[in-house]
Amino acid sequence: MSEPILKIDDLCISFFTRIGEIPAVMDFSCEVMPGEAMGLVGESGCGKSTVALGIMRDLGKNGRIVGGSIKFRGRDMVDMSDEELRKIRGSQISMIYQEPMASLNPAMKVIKQLNEVTMIHEGLSETDASKRSIDLLDAVRLPDPDRIANSYPHQLSGGQQQRIVIAMALLSKPALLLLDEPTTALDVTVEAGIVDLVKDLGKEFGTSMLFISHNLGLILETCDRITVMYSGEAVESGTVKEVFDRMRHPYTQGLFRSIPLPGADKNARPLIAIPGQFPLPHLRPPGCNFGPRCDYFVGGVCDKGDLPMQPVAEEPDHEIRCVRSREIDWNAPPANIKKQESVTAGEIVLRVNNLKKHYQVAANAIFGGIQKRVVKANESVTLEAREAETVAIVGESGCGKSTLAKILLGLETATSGEVFLNDKEIGSVIIHERDTNTVSSVQMVFQNPFDTLNPSHTIGGQIIRVLEKFGMGNNNEERRQRMLELLDLVKLPREFEKRKPRQLSGGQKQRIGIARAFAGHPRVVVADEPVSALDVSVQAAVTELLMDIQRDSRTTMLFISHDMSVVRYLSDRIVVMYLGYVVEQGSTDQVFSPPYHPYTEALLSAVPIADTSVKKKHVVLEGDIPSAMYPPPGCPFQTRCPRKSQVEGDLCERELPPMRELATGHSVLCHLPQSVFDDMDPIISLGDAHADDYAAPIDPTDNQPSSPMH
């Protein structure tokens, strides 16, 4: 078919509020051809989800399409009646939302929710509907479909819930599937399985897809074409290869410079955040919306009149919204890169020896049961962290990362083992029994900045309260002066002293969280996924801020994350955890180069990398991480290990592996014979432009760009 299945022309969507009309999407156009996957990317607030809701005609009572057309199979959906829309929604067009539990009824079994789709849209009997539902649960690779079908949503993992939502969306074999950040809340290994599933089902059913994401690596792996949005407008559109390799809009270039691609290095080639703030919808600048944040802005040229989309020379399918695109040298290296000297790690500040943390849980505590179960959250964790060093702790949800953080902070105490801060044992001391100096010496930056600030108090007051608790300053004036210095430290205006959290953006709130963590001159800062909830540009700014503060204060940082790209960029050493065990640890270069523990191998394969020259071996883990209440015998990873067959007999199922040293400082918990480790190939292989980026440290004197992005 040569006709697009979805054709959006000059779409304008506004929301009508007390202050008047707020234009959310303006002059937006795109096409999706039959069987094609179109990616829609941009920062939060750019209008991606509004476009998807506009297609579904689900904009709420305040939202309205005020211009343009949305043609599905040649018919304009803007003019359709409610009855016509009901026939199309859920049958010909389906949507998968970011949070699976928002689409599932917690009070109904899975099978009943699935059956509703075909019984309503196709009039199937309950028996026929159940058969198709079970078949599709099998198609989305859920184990034991009959058991899953008769479960309630809360009895399933996040990855299983998302697969059920995908099955629900595909039950009526829609022609168009809208996916709104479908993997954001999932672990990278689960995300890899979902991405594979979506690609395979798209081919099998011939479904066209509009894939909304802020993850450029994910778009590269799933989509044929891409549209980049900024402030309600499409600013660049083309095939994935055209946009990734020959980007021609400054905003697209800014997005790529904000993410840790191969070639980025925290000292020699740091990330470059897009300057300034995203404009509010009712306060957009004249001319180019991106103008105030653009390095190539020219007054009198970029701020004159409306800017239409225009084709890139010799690439008719590649369009951009920029009047200066042909004048810009896209291969020039970024100007004014702030290079840093490498920091030498100092003495050991934190030592964890054979740490165990077990929880006793009553089997039926709600109903007065007395049978006890033991949850083994941490099992034999041993690690060291030096002054000014960044140690990354990585692994899936449920591996024990956050439990370890709670013990370090004193929110929990260790069941056995030792935790030393300098020479002081703190693992057995709960926080209210720790002295003020110890509490201030170990601080935390939390994942969600929204939940860590009191909405009723000013920013200045909340920082001053921390200083009071830590005994900093002799009086209020001294503490206020220190608070202002902390605002300077996190690069926020001093006027923010009188603001309340609701007046700050997500990135600004996270900076306040960082200011509070560093208020008491900590020796160790535990950063628990501190940038995962932020847009890529804000993520780059916050990451660089953490690195700058660490260099100046020589603080030890434990960086908890599941994003191996960010970990590769900022960590000096990596600790890989699985089901409470440390399964591999070593320097960053050691962990990212073969030989690997099989779990590390799968983690590296799962991370999407937004670079067309990167090739990855394909390793997708089957099944979910086992329960810490019912861990498998022998090796904790043996139930999911793709290399288990390379070990003779049933050794993996019988015995816990020893911690083996593969090289100085590099150890793995594994039964694999040495010959298998010796023959391992790299998971990530790169084109000529990045040949050694993952294999060796970058020479700080080399400032040649490895690509248009870096």
Side-chain angles (χ1 to χ4, degrees), residues 131-146:
K131 184 178 184 307
R132 191 190 290 186
S133 297
I134 296 292
D135 288 344
L136 204 53
L137 288 179
D138 186 51
V140 297
R141 303 172 195 163
L142 280 166
D144 194 357
D146 291 305

PDB file of all heavy atoms in Angstrom, residues 131-146:
ATOM      1  N   LYS A 131     -10.279 -18.469  24.549  1.00  0.00           N
ATOM      2  CA  LYS A 131      -9.288 -19.207  23.762  1.00  0.00           C
ATOM      3  C   LYS A 131      -8.318 -18.244  23.077  1.00  0.00           C
ATOM      4  O   LYS A 131      -7.110 -18.437  23.108  1.00  0.00           O
ATOM      5  CB  LYS A 131      -9.981 -20.076  22.715  1.00  0.00           C
ATOM      6  CG  LYS A 131      -9.018 -20.958  21.915  1.00  0.00           C
ATOM      7  CD  LYS A 131      -9.744 -21.826  20.926  1.00  0.00           C
ATOM      8  CE  LYS A 131      -8.772 -22.776  20.217  1.00  0.00           C
ATOM      9  NZ  LYS A 131      -7.615 -22.099  19.611  1.00  0.00           N
ATOM     10  N   ARG A 132      -8.884 -17.164  22.473  1.00  0.00           N
ATOM     11  CA  ARG A 132      -7.996 -16.205  21.811  1.00  0.00           C
ATOM     12  C   ARG A 132      -7.113 -15.486  22.830  1.00  0.00           C
ATOM     13  O   ARG A 132      -5.940 -15.222  22.573  1.00  0.00           O
ATOM     14  CB  ARG A 132      -8.796 -15.181  21.003  1.00  0.00           C
ATOM     15  CG  ARG A 132      -7.856 -14.359  20.110  1.00  0.00           C
ATOM     16  CD  ARG A 132      -8.502 -13.169  19.450  1.00  0.00           C
ATOM     17  NE  ARG A 132      -9.451 -13.554  18.420  1.00  0.00           N
ATOM     18  CZ  ARG A 132     -10.057 -12.651  17.627  1.00  0.00           C
ATOM     19  NH1 ARG A 132      -9.795 -11.360  17.776  1.00  0.00           N
ATOM     20  NH2 ARG A 132     -10.931 -13.044  16.720  1.00  0.00           N
ATOM     21  N   SER A 133      -7.658 -15.174  24.000  1.00  0.00           N
ATOM     22  CA  SER A 133      -6.868 -14.486  25.035  1.00  0.00           C
ATOM     23  C   SER A 133      -5.696 -15.350  25.489  1.00  0.00           C
ATOM     24  O   SER A 133      -4.566 -14.862  25.619  1.00  0.00           O
ATOM     25  CB  SER A 133      -7.756 -14.138  26.230  1.00  0.00           C
ATOM     26  OG  SER A 133      -8.778 -13.234  25.863  1.00  0.00           O
ATOM     27  N   ILE A 134      -5.956 -16.661  25.723  1.00  0.00           N
ATOM     28  CA  ILE A 134      -4.887 -17.561  26.159  1.00  0.00           C
ATOM     29  C   ILE A 134      -3.819 -17.686  25.069  1.00  0.00           C
ATOM     30  O   ILE A 134      -2.614 -17.672  25.346  1.00  0.00           O
ATOM     31  CB  ILE A 134      -5.464 -18.951  26.511  1.00  0.00           C
ATOM     32  CG1 ILE A 134      -6.412 -18.868  27.705  1.00  0.00           C
ATOM     33  CG2 ILE A 134      -4.332 -19.944  26.795  1.00  0.00           C
ATOM     34  CD1 ILE A 134      -5.759 -18.530  29.024  1.00  0.00           C
ATOM     35  N   ASP A 135      -4.268 -17.778  23.812  1.00  0.00           N
ATOM     36  CA  ASP A 135      -3.316 -17.882  22.692  1.00  0.00           C
ATOM     37  C   ASP A 135      -2.418 -16.651  22.629  1.00  0.00           C
ATOM     38  O   ASP A 135      -1.217 -16.758  22.378  1.00  0.00           O
ATOM     39  CB  ASP A 135      -4.063 -18.044  21.367  1.00  0.00           C
ATOM     40  CG  ASP A 135      -4.704 -19.424  21.229  1.00  0.00           C
ATOM     41  OD1 ASP A 135      -4.311 -20.332  21.999  1.00  0.00           O
ATOM     42  OD2 ASP A 135      -5.592 -19.587  20.364  1.00  0.00           O
ATOM     43  N   LEU A 136      -3.001 -15.479  22.862  1.00  0.00           N
ATOM     44  CA  LEU A 136      -2.197 -14.258  22.766  1.00  0.00           C
ATOM     45  C   LEU A 136      -1.276 -14.099  23.973  1.00  0.00           C
ATOM     46  O   LEU A 136      -0.171 -13.565  23.850  1.00  0.00           O
ATOM     47  CB  LEU A 136      -3.099 -13.031  22.613  1.00  0.00           C
ATOM     48  CG  LEU A 136      -2.443 -11.812  21.947  1.00  0.00           C
ATOM     49  CD1 LEU A 136      -1.818 -12.200  20.614  1.00  0.00           C
ATOM     50  CD2 LEU A 136      -3.444 -10.706  21.722  1.00  0.00           C
ATOM     51  N   LEU A 137      -1.694 -14.562  25.148  1.00  0.00           N
ATOM     52  CA  LEU A 137      -0.789 -14.557  26.304  1.00  0.00           C
ATOM     53  C   LEU A 137       0.438 -15.411  26.011  1.00  0.00           C
ATOM     54  O   LEU A 137       1.558 -15.082  26.419  1.00  0.00           O
ATOM     55  CB  LEU A 137      -1.501 -15.071  27.555  1.00  0.00           C
ATOM     56  CG  LEU A 137      -2.546 -14.156  28.191  1.00  0.00           C
ATOM     57  CD1 LEU A 137      -3.179 -14.824  29.402  1.00  0.00           C
ATOM     58  CD2 LEU A 137      -1.939 -12.815  28.591  1.00  0.00           C
ATOM     59  N   ASP A 138       0.233 -16.505  25.294  1.00  0.00           N
ATOM     60  CA  ASP A 138       1.356 -17.341  24.877  1.00  0.00           C
ATOM     61  C   ASP A 138       2.208 -16.610  23.839  1.00  0.00           C
ATOM     62  O   ASP A 138       3.436 -16.680  23.862  1.00  0.00           O
ATOM     63  CB  ASP A 138       0.829 -18.662  24.306  1.00  0.00           C
ATOM     64  CG  ASP A 138       1.956 -19.641  23.995  1.00  0.00           C
ATOM     65  OD1 ASP A 138       2.796 -19.884  24.891  1.00  0.00           O
ATOM     66  OD2 ASP A 138       2.010 -20.153  22.863  1.00  0.00           O
ATOM     67  N   ALA A 139       1.552 -15.858  22.922  1.00  0.00           N
ATOM     68  CA  ALA A 139       2.274 -15.130  21.873  1.00  0.00           C
ATOM     69  C   ALA A 139       3.153 -14.027  22.451  1.00  0.00           C
ATOM     70  O   ALA A 139       4.209 -13.714  21.879  1.00  0.00           O
ATOM     71  CB  ALA A 139       1.282 -14.534  20.870  1.00  0.00           C
ATOM     72  N   VAL A 140       2.737 -13.430  23.585  1.00  0.00           N
ATOM     73  CA  VAL A 140       3.564 -12.381  24.197  1.00  0.00           C
ATOM     74  C   VAL A 140       4.558 -12.975  25.204  1.00  0.00           C
ATOM     75  O   VAL A 140       5.110 -12.272  26.046  1.00  0.00           O
ATOM     76  CB  VAL A 140       2.713 -11.266  24.861  1.00  0.00           C
ATOM     77  CG1 VAL A 140       1.873 -10.549  23.840  1.00  0.00           C
ATOM     78  CG2 VAL A 140       1.854 -11.818  25.993  1.00  0.00           C
ATOM     79  N   ARG A 141       4.776 -14.287  25.098  1.00  0.00           N
ATOM     80  CA  ARG A 141       5.846 -14.999  25.814  1.00  0.00           C
ATOM     81  C   ARG A 141       5.696 -14.965  27.330  1.00  0.00           C
ATOM     82  O   ARG A 141       6.682 -14.805  28.066  1.00  0.00           O
ATOM     83  CB  ARG A 141       7.210 -14.444  25.402  1.00  0.00           C
ATOM     84  CG  ARG A 141       7.480 -14.502  23.914  1.00  0.00           C
ATOM     85  CD  ARG A 141       8.757 -13.767  23.564  1.00  0.00           C
ATOM     86  NE  ARG A 141       8.839 -13.509  22.126  1.00  0.00           N
ATOM     87  CZ  ARG A 141       9.658 -12.622  21.582  1.00  0.00           C
ATOM     88  NH1 ARG A 141      10.464 -11.907  22.352  1.00  0.00           N
ATOM     89  NH2 ARG A 141       9.688 -12.442  20.277  1.00  0.00           N
ATOM     90  N   LEU A 142       4.458 -15.098  27.785  1.00  0.00           N
ATOM     91  CA  LEU A 142       4.236 -15.221  29.228  1.00  0.00           C
ATOM     92  C   LEU A 142       4.274 -16.691  29.613  1.00  0.00           C
ATOM     93  O   LEU A 142       3.651 -17.529  28.949  1.00  0.00           O
ATOM     94  CB  LEU A 142       2.888 -14.610  29.613  1.00  0.00           C
ATOM     95  CG  LEU A 142       2.870 -13.091  29.742  1.00  0.00           C
ATOM     96  CD1 LEU A 142       1.446 -12.571  29.782  1.00  0.00           C
ATOM     97  CD2 LEU A 142       3.632 -12.632  30.979  1.00  0.00           C
ATOM     98  N   PRO A 143       5.014 -17.035  30.670  1.00  0.00           N
ATOM     99  CA  PRO A 143       5.071 -18.443  31.090  1.00  0.00           C
ATOM    100  C   PRO A 143       3.742 -18.880  31.697  1.00  0.00           C
ATOM    101  O   PRO A 143       3.090 -18.103  32.399  1.00  0.00           O
ATOM    102  CB  PRO A 143       6.187 -18.443  32.146  1.00  0.00           C
ATOM    103  CG  PRO A 143       6.187 -17.048  32.694  1.00  0.00           C
ATOM    104  CD  PRO A 143       5.780 -16.153  31.556  1.00  0.00           C
ATOM    105  N   ASP A 144       3.342 -20.106  31.430  1.00  0.00           N
ATOM    106  CA  ASP A 144       2.122 -20.676  32.003  1.00  0.00           C
ATOM    107  C   ASP A 144       0.926 -19.738  31.805  1.00  0.00           C
ATOM    108  O   ASP A 144       0.376 -19.172  32.769  1.00  0.00           O
ATOM    109  CB  ASP A 144       2.339 -20.960  33.493  1.00  0.00           C
ATOM    110  CG  ASP A 144       1.256 -21.857  34.080  1.00  0.00           C
ATOM    111  OD1 ASP A 144       0.315 -22.199  33.331  1.00  0.00           O
ATOM    112  OD2 ASP A 144       1.343 -22.194  35.270  1.00  0.00           O
ATOM    113  N   PRO A 145       0.485 -19.550  30.546  1.00  0.00           N
ATOM    114  CA  PRO A 145      -0.602 -18.596  30.257  1.00  0.00           C
ATOM    115  C   PRO A 145      -1.880 -18.856  31.043  1.00  0.00           C
ATOM    116  O   PRO A 145      -2.579 -17.910  31.426  1.00  0.00           O
ATOM    117  CB  PRO A 145      -0.835 -18.783  28.752  1.00  0.00           C
ATOM    118  CG  PRO A 145       0.441 -19.336  28.220  1.00  0.00           C
ATOM    119  CD  PRO A 145       1.010 -20.178  29.322  1.00  0.00           C
ATOM    120  N   ASP A 146      -2.198 -20.140  31.309  1.00  0.00           N
ATOM    121  CA  ASP A 146      -3.432 -20.440  32.059  1.00  0.00           C
ATOM    122  C   ASP A 146      -3.371 -19.884  33.475  1.00  0.00           C
ATOM    123  O   ASP A 146      -4.356 -19.337  33.986  1.00  0.00           O
ATOM    124  CB  ASP A 146      -3.668 -21.949  32.090  1.00  0.00           C
ATOM    125  CG  ASP A 146      -4.041 -22.505  30.721  1.00  0.00           C
ATOM    126  OD1 ASP A 146      -5.007 -21.998  30.145  1.00  0.00           O
ATOM    127  OD2 ASP A 146      -3.344 -23.402  30.223  1.00  0.00           O
TER     128      ASP A 146
END
